[in-house]
Amino acid sequence: MFARRRREVPELNTTSTADISFMLLIFFLVTSSMDTDKGLARQLPPPDNPVEEQDLTVKRRNVMQLHLDAQNRLTCNGEPITAADLTLSVADFVDNTAQDPEKPEMSQREVHLLGKCLVSDRHVIFIEVDPQATYDAYFAMQNAIVAGYARLRGALAQQRFGHPLEQCSLEERDAISMVFPQRISEREQEQKGGEG
């Protein structure tokens, strides 16, 4: 008698869903910012080649010894020093253009863009850190060392190229880095074993 009419549910048109999803994905990739890792620029030995221990003899005048103990006390060649003073000490130690016999030896080299000049390629900043020292103290020390090198490099860039280091081309920066290379050796202080 009464015929039931079947109700049909209209289908959703999903043909443009993939396009919308792709556009949203692109939008979020373009507008979001990714955190970049920060770290220290250090040249490490390649992992494939086993490092042979060599008995190297380094002249005392070429070494600056830094020690950071468990109480975050920083010493330079056995004398207490602050991070701010360390920047000046590093710059003074590495720069020996006056050929002071108490400071590191320098070599006469041919450097691209700079010609023949004295190069500070024999100095070593030797760092010994206690494992109990805090990261803040460690990075304050590292930043002070890098600031010392930056001070020397900036002065050389201004003197030779007439503009600050930040405005130097990559080629100019490489030349300046050859004159004042970062020569840092680091070792973790060994823990003294107790009686067990």
Side-chain angles (χ1 to χ4, degrees):
M1 237 172 17
F2 295 108
R4 260 182 152 182
R5 285 177 67 194
R6 282 184 98 190
R7 253 200 222 169
E8 290 186 19
V9 178
E11 291 183 17
L12 291 174
N13 185 3
T14 59
T15 53
S16 62
T17 307
D19 294 335
I20 293 170
S21 300
F22 184 69
M23 286 174 42
L24 285 172
L25 177 66
I26 296 295
F27 172 77
F28 285 116
L29 286 175
V30 170
T31 58
S32 64
S33 63
M34 303 289 177
D35 290 336
T36 56
D37 291 337
K38 295 181 181 177
L40 301 171
R42 297 289 181 263
Q43 185 173 359
L44 300 174
D48 300 334
N49 302 337
V51 179
E52 294 180 11
E53 287 193 26
Q54 296 177 351
D55 188 21
L56 297 176
T57 305
V58 180
K59 292 182 182 177
R60 175 69 194 109
R61 69 181 271 192
N62 293 336
V63 179
M64 173 185 267
Q65 291 182 328
L66 298 177
H67 179 74
L68 185 63
D69 67 11
Q71 286 76 35
N72 297 325
R73 289 185 300 245
L74 180 62
T75 58
C76 178
N77 296 329
E79 299 292 322
I81 193 169
T82 64
D85 291 336
L86 180 60
T87 297
L88 297 173
S89 293
V90 167
D92 185 52
F93 173 74
V94 174
D95 184 23
N96 189 18
T97 49
Q99 295 292 337
D100 184 346
E102 298 296 317
K103 292 183 182 177
E105 299 169 301
M106 295 186 80
S107 306
Q108 185 87 16
R109 297 270 169 93
E110 182 73 32
V111 178
H112 178 62
L113 298 179
L114 298 175
K116 279 198 172 190
C117 57
L118 289 173
V119 175
S120 181
D121 60 350
R122 297 189 184 173
H123 75 276
V124 176
I125 297 177
F126 179 72
I127 301 171
E128 190 173 30
V129 180
D130 190 288
Q132 301 300 316
T134 63
Y135 282 114
D136 290 340
Y138 175 77
F139 284 113
M141 176 188 64
Q142 290 284 353
N143 287 337
I145 293 169
V146 171
Y149 280 105
R151 183 184 184 104
L152 289 173
R153 291 174 177 179
L156 184 62
Q158 194 68 46
Q159 177 189 10
R160 289 298 190 97
F161 302 120
H163 49 264
L165 186 64
E166 295 79 29
Q167 295 176 4
C168 287
S169 67
L170 184 61
E171 196 175 24
E172 291 171 338
R173 285 177 187 239
D174 288 343
I176 290 170
S177 294
M178 286 189 71
V179 175
F180 295 117
Q182 281 190 10
R183 296 177 48 89
I184 300 170
S185 176
E186 192 167 343
R187 182 177 81 177
E188 183 179 318
Q189 184 179 358
E190 296 176 8
Q191 294 276 7
K192 293 179 182 172
E195 294 179 22

